[in-house]
Amino acid sequence: MKHCECANFLHLDCEKGMCALSKMIVPIDGEGSDACPRFEEGFMCQFCKHFSDADKYGIGSCKGYDKENWAYAQCGAFSCEKFERK
Amino acid sequence: MSNEAKIQEILKRRGLDVSDVTDFADEVVPEPSPRFTKLINIYYMMKNTIDMEYPYWYNRVWWENDGDITEIRRAKAEAAALSHMTPTILPGELLFGNKTRNFRGAFCFPWVDASFFNAAAEAMMAGVDAPPMAAADAVSVVGAGGGNVTKDFGNVVSIAQKFGLRREEVPCLVKVAKYWDNGSVERVSARLAEARPDYQKWAGYRNSVLVMFDSWAIPQGREVINYYVPLEYGFDKIIELCDEKIAETLGEAGDDGILGMSRGYYYMACKTIAQGVSKWIENYARRAEYLAAHETDEVQKKEYLDIAAVAHHIAHKQPETFRQALNLTLMCHYGVVNEDPHSGQSIGRLGQILYPWYEKDIADGTTTDEEVIELLELYRIKITAIECFASSGVTGGVLSGNTFNNLSLGGLGYDGLTAVNPLEYLIVEAGMRGKSTQPTLSLLYDEKTPESFLLKVAQCIKLGLGYPAIMNNQGGMNYMLRHYQPEGMTIYDARAWAPGGCLESSPGCFQPLHYNGKTYMIPGGAGPTAGTGIHFTGMPKLLELVLSNGFDRRTGIQVFEPHNRKLDTYEGLLDVYYNVYLQELLEVSNRMNNLQMDTHRKICPTVWASLLKADCFANGQNQSHLGARYNGTINFESCGTINLINSLASIKKNVYDDKKYTLEEMKDAMWNNFGFKTAFETGVFSPDRREATELAPKYEKIFNDCVNAPKYGNADDYVDSILVDYEDRMLPKMLALRSYMGKQYYMCQISVSTHGPQGAITLASADGRLCGTTYADASMSPAPTTDKNGIYALFTSATCYDHAMCQNSQMNVKIHPSAIKGTQGTHKLLDVYRAYMRKGGFHIQFNVTSSKTLREAQAKPDDYRDLMVRVAGFTQYWCEIGKPIQDEVIFRTEYDS
């Protein structure tokens, strides 16, 4: 798992974020981007039980709301009232 | 007795109180708070980033509500988008909120402009399908340019050569953009425009870059926000009021058979967006609580919980503390700038708006001035980090990446007395300590402004930050009374004006805020965008087209029908310029702008901004439907005024008066760039480097005569009278135009950064300016180094006409730091800007820096990451502005004594 998939990852920009626990800046890609043992699964559509059938681009279906719609795996879901872990 | 002591003694005898200027021995400014330092250092490392959370949710909910009333549908889409974004709170922050989940984030608006993405969709998806890069390549860092992502790297795709987008989000962008391929504001308005018989004329203006960009590109902004409704009521009460209004108006047209019914829809939209913004704020409370629950450091844990408490409160109620009030205005601001591509959503007179909370907190002893300064420093980072994605040309080229969130100081209050209060001193202090590009500060200079405040402002300017700018309060009020008289402008409302964007004078009003058992009249914006209209038009380029019989020699486009006149008199030349070509351009461009903005209000009616703007809520009408108090806010933006004036002076002098050359000889010299290489050939865009070609000897004499012709800025009536004539001719043309709001136009005389690109498309001009070099910046700045008689002569030239005829004028002055060193220098600087204000100048701003430093910074940008300069109405990090503008700023006349 990657830092950027952790619940303690704080978004900074397209290449890095900050770990809320260590307060260190962590890269999204490449060396140093793997999560540490304190990893907790983050809030993203890909971790939600309402998200399914993702294609190779991460585009799948969201069945969490009255109207089913497409969604993308990397979308943040902390603020989604329908988010439920798989 | 030292000189400084003598001055203070003299000032004291004259009754001038300078006791509040605690840091009188200037150049000694306290360090910013450690929090500021930590967070601004993170900011410096940030890449401009766009992500897809907002566009995804907007798009999803918009289409799920197909068939709904547009205003309500739009409110649902916006509310869903805001309330689904990931809230990011960094350790050490006291203020919460961001435009997006990223620290320095933005997003695209395909419902406004999708063609940019759809055109690139195939290439972008090819990039996604490409094999992943090696790990080492995946973390490579784009070179100089501050936070701009100018090219792809690793798993980051460069969008518009400014923003980075994660590769895995590209498919989402492509998918969302596809929905809007045929229905964006851009496409719908283009179809309407193409139905007009004069569409090809418009296409000619745009393709030759005579007119710089479209209104849909940035349909909101250059206005002053109004925080009154949430500060007075809080969200729970707003929602309650909406319910009352819905019960009262839904299904009732009243006496208005056209828009009466829309009041009910307006209030339904207001309720939806208020609920969305409230939930968005609540999300920050939940995130802060989550972080607190995982935090082991007790100090940090408490700070997270404090943030949660603030967020919980302001998500529902009227704020009770200064910190709460400040954070609420911040969230309201983010909400507005997330509605549309925005630039110039000005904060207005924040110190006067938030004074009631400051006053109570200080009186209660619940905060200190130092704590307030710290909050204001952190606020500066939040505003600095506001980014706007429009398109490559607009965001990066025209605006230099700045979003112009202007904060005003001073002016007059509702009672006609100075509006300066103790909080405004702290705002300036925070700007001095917490050096950052935004919010830029503007002093509304009035003779009633306390001397100590004027000196405080001068001290701040001396730091070389490019702020505050100085604006003429009485001039602004006179303009308000003059231009908005048909809409009932009163002296009270005129006192509430403030610049929207960098210096687009915008109407305002005072509203009664009830807090702490008192009633305060707080100012805020009372009109929609004051910057949308006929966008930046290259006035020297238009003269070039007059001389070339309407043919653009650069592109090969016949922009105007050939006039086929001999132009054998100066008046004949002016007649074609003003009454034929310019008149056509104004009429055609106005129609196109009207179609673009009418399309925008039909597809993307402003919702959140329309809840906030004064009188919309009372009237039950969107600000796009004239819901606001004042609506004559649409303008014509000119660029290159001084090069036009100087060129006319040169032609008048050399061709018509002295008859040294024929007009054909003048044109031949211009078309051949006076025998020099163009800026594109030399790579230098200011006129300080001239490389001769073999043709130079042929044009040497005429070039010298053009350079030596009378120039603006020297108190020379020969040329200044041409400027007066220009202003006198332009005003009635503006008043005759009618915007899509059914109101008259006015002149907006600023350049932002357009003097770079519009200079680039203009051949050599008769004033001796070479092909491709930038125009003189602003509207009142002299062409670089052509002002030979000192700064007061420049002021005389600049004030040869009444600046209150127009929305603004703009003058940038570069001063060497040595010229205003020490206490005497502070007073000298005040004398300078006061002199200009007293002569009737509308605006002046200063770059206190040396050309030597700027040249060094241009050569080694990494060594100057925090160097800021004033460009034209805004401050920007030196390393994030393009080379043509850098060259122009370096070459500006430098006053050193």
Side-chain angles (χ1 to χ4, degrees):
Chain A
M1 303 306 283
K2 298 280 191 184
H3 286 303
C4 60
E5 296 171 317
C6 176
N8 296 304
F9 181 80
L10 307 175
H11 292 272
L12 290 178
D13 66 13
C14 53
E15 65 173 6
K16 56 190 171 292
M18 180 183 284
C19 172
L21 303 182
S22 71
K23 315 293 187 289
M24 301 294 289
I25 289 180
V26 292
I28 295 176
D29 301 305
E31 188 180 347
S33 63
D34 289 338
C36 75
R38 292 191 287 178
F39 176 83
E40 289 182 60
E41 193 174 81
F43 301 89
M44 302 167 78
C45 286
Q46 64 176 319
F47 300 134
C48 177
K49 76 174 189 182
H50 300 299
F51 181 76
S52 61
D53 306 322
D55 64 14
K56 68 172 182 174
Y57 299 116
I59 304 287
S61 294
C62 169
K63 298 185 176 74
Y65 291 81
D66 293 342
K67 295 177 183 174
E68 182 179 337
N69 213 321
W70 67 271
Y72 67 106
Q74 299 294 319
C75 187
F78 180 86
S79 303
C80 182
E81 63 272 28
K82 300 295 184 182
F83 178 79
E84 290 184 74
R85 294 202 182 279
K86 285 179 178 170
Chain B
M1 185 182 281
S2 70
N3 283 342
E4 180 177 321
K6 283 178 187 171
I7 288 169
Q8 291 196 49
E9 181 62 30
I10 292 166
L11 289 172
K12 196 174 175 183
R13 286 204 302 272
R14 289 167 63 182
L16 301 178
D17 177 15
V18 293
S19 59
D20 286 344
V21 184
T22 53
D23 187 23
F24 211 80
D26 46 28
E27 286 112 29
V28 182
V29 178
E31 290 293 315
S33 65
R35 285 181 204 278
F36 175 88
T37 303
K38 180 182 165 191
L39 290 166
I40 198 73
N41 283 332
I42 293 175
Y43 172 82
Y44 289 148
M45 292 190 290
M46 291 302 101
K47 299 292 181 209
N48 276 322
T49 298
I50 60 172
D51 76 279
M52 289 304 297
E53 286 186 352
Y54 188 105
Y56 167 77
W57 278 103
Y58 182 100
N59 185 70
R60 174 173 174 164
V61 172
W62 173 268
W63 292 108
E64 285 180 354
N65 288 276
D66 191 11
D68 213 337
I69 296 286
T70 302
E71 277 181 282
I72 299 167
R73 186 181 180 188
R74 166 101 158 149
K76 288 177 180 174
E78 283 187 16
L82 292 172
S83 63
H84 279 90
M85 283 195 294
T86 299
T88 296
I89 303 167
L90 298 184
E93 287 195 306
L94 295 180
L95 297 174
F96 67 86
N98 295 295
K99 187 172 155 70
T100 71
R101 69 184 183 186
N102 292 300
F103 193 10
R104 192 180 179 184
F107 53 87
C108 54
F109 300 82
W111 42 95
V112 174
D113 167 20
S115 67
F116 179 78
F117 307 106
N118 286 323
E122 200 173 317
M124 287 198 292
M125 287 306 291
V128 173
D129 287 330
M133 291 187 180
D137 295 334
V139 290
S140 63
V141 177
V142 174
N148 293 333
V149 179
T150 55
K151 58 183 179 182
D152 297 354
F153 69 96
N155 287 319
V156 175
V157 176
S158 171
I159 306 289
Q161 296 186 306
K162 179 173 173 67
F163 293 95
L165 172 68
R166 296 288 307 165
R167 187 196 284 218
E168 57 269 23
E169 292 190 83
V170 169
C172 179
L173 169 57
V174 169
K175 199 169 171 66
V176 170
K178 194 70 183 164
Y179 281 88
W180 299 93
D181 193 27
N182 208 33
S184 67
V185 174
E186 174 202 19
R187 292 299 288 266
V188 174
S189 63
R191 285 198 296 273
L192 294 168
E194 286 164 14
R196 277 209 54 86
D198 46 16
Y199 173 74
Q200 286 306 321
K201 291 180 177 176
W202 167 248
Y205 309 156
R206 293 286 288 109
N207 292 335
S208 65
V209 202
L210 173 61
V211 178
M212 192 80 199
F213 63 92
D214 296 285
S215 286
W216 53 256
I218 303 185
Q220 286 199 70
R222 288 82 75 209
E223 61 194 275
V224 179
I225 199 169
N226 195 316
Y227 303 118
Y228 172 75
V229 172
L231 286 173
E232 169 72 1
Y233 299 110
F235 285 96
D236 288 357
K237 183 67 176 174
I238 292 172
I239 293 165
E240 198 180 308
L241 290 170
C242 287
D243 281 333
E244 290 175 15
K245 289 289 190 181
I246 290 166
E248 180 187 325
T249 60
L250 192 61
E252 294 277 357
D255 296 327
D256 185 352
I258 299 171
L259 287 174
M261 288 296 291
S262 68
R263 292 175 304 157
Y265 316 142
Y266 166 85
Y267 289 118
M268 288 179 71
C270 283
K271 180 181 177 182
T272 299
I273 195 65
Q275 289 171 324
V277 175
S278 174
K279 183 170 182 287
W280 183 34
I281 295 172
E282 274 285 6
N283 290 338
Y284 279 95
R286 288 200 304 115
R287 185 60 172 160
E289 286 166 347
Y290 178 93
L291 292 169
H294 289 70
E295 181 59 58
T296 54
D297 181 283
E298 288 303 316
V299 173
Q300 183 59 61
K301 181 191 287 275
K302 182 178 181 308
E303 289 184 3
Y304 283 141
L305 292 174
D306 287 346
I307 285 176
V310 170
H312 278 309
H313 185 90
I314 64 173
H316 300 281
K317 307 294 181 193
Q318 184 188 45
E320 291 180 335
T321 66
F322 174 78
R323 177 177 170 181
Q324 288 179 5
L326 179 63
N327 215 140
L328 177 59
T329 65
L330 183 62
M331 292 304 291
C332 291
H333 207 86
Y334 286 134
V336 170
V337 297
N338 276 355
E339 267 200 316
D340 273 314
H342 257 268
S343 88
Q345 186 61 239
S346 282
I347 294 157
R349 306 180 183 197
L350 192 70
Q352 295 159 36
I353 295 163
L354 296 184
Y355 185 70
W357 287 273
Y358 167 81
E359 182 187 52
K360 182 174 186 300
D361 285 4
I362 292 293
D364 291 349
T366 54
T367 195
T368 64
D369 280 353
E370 281 300 315
E371 288 173 344
V372 170
I373 291 170
E374 182 181 47
L375 285 171
L376 292 168
E377 288 172 4
L378 300 178
Y379 177 79
R380 293 195 61 83
I381 298 176
K382 290 290 187 185
I383 301 296
T384 295
I386 292 177
E387 294 288 341
C388 167
F389 182 91
S391 68
S392 175
V394 173
T395 307
V398 176
L399 307 177
S400 282
N402 197 286
T403 51
F404 311 95
N405 301 273
N406 198 341
L407 192 159
S408 294
L409 307 155
L412 297 179
Y414 183 78
D415 56 7
L417 303 177
T418 180
V420 172
N421 63 43
L423 180 56
E424 293 200 321
Y425 284 81
L426 304 189
I427 290 172
V428 178
E429 182 69 21
M432 294 169 74
R433 298 187 194 179
K435 296 165 184 158
S436 46
T437 56
Q438 295 196 71
T440 193
L441 304 177
S442 294
L443 167 66
L444 309 185
Y445 173 92
D446 194 277
E447 289 295 323
K448 294 180 182 178
T449 307
E451 191 78 0
S452 59
F453 195 69
L454 298 177
L455 287 166
K456 181 84 178 172
V457 164
Q459 276 192 306
C460 186
I461 294 169
K462 285 179 60 175
L463 299 177
L465 309 171
Y467 58 75
I470 312 298
M471 299 189 197
N472 193 323
N473 186 55
Q474 291 295 322
M477 286 173 56
N478 286 340
Y479 165 72
M480 291 292 144
L481 290 166
R482 183 175 193 156
H483 181 74
Y484 292 100
Q485 182 273 333
E487 296 187 70
M489 175 62 73
T490 66
I491 185 68
Y492 296 102
D493 284 0
R495 289 172 184 154
W497 81 278
C502 41
L503 55 156
E504 287 94 331
S505 305
S506 298
C509 67
F510 292 94
Q511 291 168 285
L513 180 104
H514 304 91
Y515 176 71
N516 192 29
K518 299 182 187 176
T519 301
Y520 299 83
M521 297 301 285
I522 66 167
T529 173
T532 302
I534 303 170
H535 285 292
F536 296 97
T537 299
M539 306 309 274
K541 181 71 182 179
L542 187 66
L543 179 59
E544 176 192 310
L545 290 166
V546 170
L547 297 175
S548 64
N549 212 16
F551 180 73
D552 182 18
R553 299 173 64 88
R554 185 183 74 90
T555 60
I557 298 170
Q558 185 71 45
V559 180
F560 294 95
E561 289 290 315
H563 55 74
N564 294 327
R565 298 194 194 178
K566 290 184 178 176
L567 307 177
D568 48 8
T569 66
Y570 180 64
E571 269 307 315
L573 176 77
L574 296 184
D575 185 51
V576 176
Y577 186 89
Y578 289 110
N579 300 327
V580 182
Y581 281 5
L582 179 62
Q583 188 61 34
E584 179 199 294
L585 181 143
L586 293 173
E587 291 174 5
V588 172
S589 301
N590 177 48
R591 293 180 197 120
M592 299 306 165
N593 171 69
N594 285 347
L595 289 171
Q596 292 179 359
M597 290 305 292
D598 191 50
T599 302
H600 172 262
R601 67 179 168 183
K602 285 183 165 59
I603 295 177
C604 303
T606 61
V607 179
W608 179 231
S610 288
L611 190 157
L612 299 178
K613 199 56 68 71
D615 286 6
C616 286
F617 199 80
N619 291 334
Q621 293 294 357
N622 190 290
Q623 67 172 356
S624 309
H625 292 159
L626 285 76
R629 190 171 299 185
Y630 299 104
N631 297 286
T633 59
I634 308 303
N635 64 24
F636 168 73
E637 295 166 341
S638 58
C639 180
T641 304
I642 293 309
N643 290 102
L644 169 70
I645 300 306
N646 286 345
S647 294
L648 288 173
S650 172
I651 293 171
K652 184 172 188 292
K653 177 80 175 166
N654 289 310
V655 176
Y656 297 111
D657 288 355
D658 294 353
K659 301 187 188 330
K660 280 188 173 178
Y661 309 97
T662 66
L663 194 58
E664 290 306 311
E665 288 171 327
M666 178 65 78
K667 288 193 291 186
D668 176 59
M670 290 166 59
W671 304 162
N672 286 287
N673 203 31
F674 297 105
F676 294 100
K677 290 182 179 177
T678 68
F680 304 101
E681 292 166 328
T682 63
V684 178
F685 294 86
S686 67
D688 63 338
R689 185 167 156 192
R690 294 170 185 149
E691 287 187 36
T693 71
E694 68 278 6
L695 292 174
K698 177 183 175 185
Y699 299 110
E700 184 178 358
K701 185 170 183 304
I702 190 169
F703 178 67
N704 286 335
D705 283 332
C706 286
V707 168
N708 294 325
K711 293 286 186 286
Y712 161 86
N714 295 292
D716 180 344
D717 190 56
Y718 187 91
V719 61
D720 293 350
S721 63
I722 295 174
L723 175 58
V724 175
D725 181 56
Y726 168 81
E727 299 290 346
D728 285 345
R729 288 176 186 255
M730 293 301 289
L731 180 62
K733 291 184 182 297
M734 298 299 111
L735 299 180
L737 289 172
R738 286 295 174 272
S739 73
Y740 68 102
M741 303 289 251
K743 307 294 181 187
Q744 59 198 15
Y745 267 61
Y746 50 77
M747 286 279 283
C748 172
Q749 305 190 98
I750 60 175
S751 70
V752 197
S753 298
T754 58
H755 56 295
Q758 292 206 298
I761 55 94
T762 305
L763 306 181
S765 42
D767 57 349
R769 184 198 132 273
L770 298 183
C771 172
T773 59
T774 55
Y775 294 161
D777 64 281
S779 68
M780 293 291 96
S781 303
T785 72
T786 62
D787 49 326
K788 309 288 189 189
N789 295 342
I791 201 164
Y792 291 99
L794 172 62
F795 291 173
T796 296
S797 286
T799 54
C800 64
Y801 74 97
D802 177 12
H803 287 206
M805 289 161 67
C806 310
Q807 183 190 33
N808 48 38
S809 68
Q810 183 176 31
M811 179 185 285
N812 303 314
V813 171
K814 191 165 77 178
I815 296 184
H816 194 281
S818 64
I820 50 175
K821 193 170 174 56
T823 303
Q824 276 185 303
T826 305
H827 284 271
K828 197 188 293 182
L829 180 59
L830 170 54
D831 286 346
V832 167
Y833 79 67
R834 179 153 46 198
Y836 188 55
M837 293 293 109
R838 284 179 172 170
K839 286 178 81 73
F842 175 72
H843 160 276
I844 188 168
Q845 61 196 25
F846 300 91
N847 266 316
V848 181
T849 186
S850 71
S851 297
K852 181 171 176 287
T853 300
L854 297 179
R855 287 186 199 282
E856 288 171 1
Q858 194 176 44
K860 296 178 180 176
D862 290 342
D863 295 348
Y864 293 85
R865 178 62 185 86
D866 59 351
L867 176 65
M868 298 187 291
V869 292
R870 192 78 180 184
V871 181
F874 63 98
T875 296
Q876 183 59 302
Y877 291 109
W878 176 257
C879 63
E880 295 195 1
I881 57 179
K883 186 172 184 301
I885 298 298
Q886 286 185 347
D887 286 347
E888 181 270 312
V889 174
I890 288 171
F891 196 55
R892 285 179 190 173
T893 304
E894 182 176 283
Y895 292 93
D896 57 6
S897 62

